[in-house]
Amino acid sequence: MKTATFNIEELSNLLIKRWKTILLFSFLSTVAAGGFSLLIKPEYTATTKLLPGNSVLADKARLMNPSIQHLYSFFGNGDDVDRLLSMTETDTSLKQVMRQFNLKDYYTINEKDAQLTEFKTLEKFRKDIWLGKSVNNELIIRSTHQNRDTAAAIANFIATQTGNSLQAIWKNIYQQISVQLDSNIQQLKKQYLLTLQNKNSEEKLLQTESAAILKQINSFNELKIETDLAVSTTPAAIIVVEKASPPAKSSWPDLGIILPLAALSGFIFSIILILVSVKPRTL
């Protein structure tokens, strides 16, 4: 029975003899990849880095007690970064960015159904942004766009929007508390007036009840002042470490990656072509 065999030494000699072919294919692949890269519209990636503000600073207790204010750090921890990251990644937040920069036209998506258009735009937009957390507990936002200025503007807009959203949540919580305190104060005032109008109660009992109600009213008024102060002095939710600026060079196509891969592909293809074209000797 005859079997086809290749000898390693023979193969090595064959490849050495055909080195010009290998070099030619590698060169042509590199040139083709370089020429194709010139036809691709470049994309730019801008990056912004944020630190979370300390959510404890939103505690109204610190405003009324100056002796403990120095205990609060201006910077948040890893949990605060995770909170910001989850807010930034929501569809609601990203859709606001899409509308702000009219990205459906940028991606040339124009479906008859508006919701389908928005859905497809969001899918493409998610591929052009990267949101992550660094080892230093920084929130990193990267945005890629064919316009370098727009790439930076999108990254900075996402950062500002995230900070404003978290601040709005803090304010909303205290505003709801303030409204509830107002309602409680009004009810206590009515109760106080009814107590004074009650002629059937003993004078000593009446004084005790009215004093207790007044004490509650004063306590609620103090809480109301603290709450309103917390609303008007909401701390910054984010601290910008590095603001995104228009990048000087494109991020894609990256010739430093494309050309070596093209050369390697041409090298491998030429070797396979040579091996296929040569008949093995038989035993």
Side-chain angles (χ1 to χ4, degrees):
M1 181 178 177
K2 296 181 178 181
T3 59
T5 61
F6 273 118
N7 183 279
I8 295 178
E9 184 178 353
E10 289 179 357
L11 290 176
S12 300
N13 291 332
L14 177 63
L15 294 177
I16 291 173
K17 289 179 181 179
R18 301 288 184 88
W19 69 269
K20 291 183 179 180
T21 302
I22 296 174
L23 183 62
L24 178 62
F25 271 94
S26 300
F27 175 74
L28 291 177
S29 298
T30 304
V31 171
F36 181 73
S37 299
L38 295 176
L39 301 177
I40 300 175
K41 193 167 184 178
E43 295 181 344
Y44 302 88
T45 300
T47 303
T48 183
K49 295 181 180 180
L50 316 171
L51 283 174
N54 191 351
S55 57
V56 180
L57 291 176
D59 184 4
K60 61 183 177 59
R62 73 177 182 89
L63 299 172
M64 309 308 295
N65 191 350
S67 62
I68 66 172
Q69 289 192 15
H70 67 282
L71 300 177
Y72 294 87
S73 168
F74 287 106
F75 305 105
N77 53 32
D79 292 336
D80 294 313
V81 178
D82 293 335
R83 190 178 300 111
L84 287 174
L85 187 58
S86 65
M87 291 177 62
T88 307
E89 290 176 330
T90 60
D91 287 353
T92 302
S93 297
L94 295 181
K95 284 178 180 179
Q96 290 177 3
V97 182
M98 286 163 38
R99 298 185 189 112
Q100 176 69 23
F101 293 92
N102 198 23
L103 293 182
K104 70 180 181 64
D105 290 342
Y106 170 69
Y107 295 120
T108 61
I109 298 175
N110 190 21
E111 299 287 342
K112 293 182 179 179
D113 186 357
Q115 291 186 345
L116 181 59
T117 298
E118 196 169 64
F119 173 76
K120 289 187 175 181
T121 303
L122 181 60
E123 277 191 324
K124 285 185 173 292
F125 180 46
R126 283 189 178 277
K127 294 177 182 178
D128 283 340
I129 59 170
W130 185 86
L131 307 169
K133 175 182 175 182
S134 73
V135 294
N136 296 322
N137 283 333
E138 296 172 321
L139 174 61
I140 300 176
I141 302 172
R142 292 196 181 104
S143 170
T144 301
H145 197 276
Q146 290 180 352
N147 183 292
R148 67 183 77 201
D149 293 324
T150 304
I154 289 176
N156 290 327
F157 182 85
I158 293 174
T160 302
Q161 175 185 257
T162 303
N164 291 342
S165 297
L166 187 53
Q167 267 192 327
I169 291 173
W170 292 342
K171 285 186 178 182
N172 185 53
I173 291 172
Y174 280 125
Q175 285 170 345
Q176 290 179 5
I177 295 173
S178 180
V179 170
Q180 185 60 48
L181 286 171
D182 268 334
S183 176
N184 291 340
I185 290 170
Q186 295 304 319
Q187 289 179 4
L188 286 172
K189 286 181 178 179
K190 290 179 180 179
Q191 185 179 347
Y192 178 73
L193 292 175
L194 290 174
T195 303
L196 294 179
Q197 294 171 1
N198 188 358
K199 304 296 183 181
N200 298 324
S201 301
E202 295 182 5
E203 183 178 350
K204 188 174 182 180
L205 179 60
L206 186 64
Q207 290 178 349
T208 303
E209 289 180 357
S210 60
I213 295 173
L214 280 175
K215 187 176 181 180
Q216 279 187 296
I217 292 174
N218 291 333
S219 177
F220 279 4
N221 278 327
E222 289 179 1
L223 285 174
K224 178 72 166 51
I225 293 171
E226 292 179 10
T227 303
D228 290 343
L229 185 59
V231 171
S232 61
T233 59
T234 307
I238 62 169
I239 300 166
V240 179
V241 177
E242 182 180 347
K243 187 176 181 180
S245 57
K249 59 180 292 187
S250 61
S251 57
W252 186 259
D254 189 347
L255 295 180
I257 296 176
I258 293 176
L259 296 184
L261 287 177
L264 180 62
S265 300
F267 176 79
I268 294 173
F269 177 76
S270 62
I271 291 177
I272 294 174
L273 188 64
I274 292 171
L275 294 179
V276 170
S277 63
V278 176
K279 293 181 179 180
R281 60 188 176 84
T282 57
L283 295 175

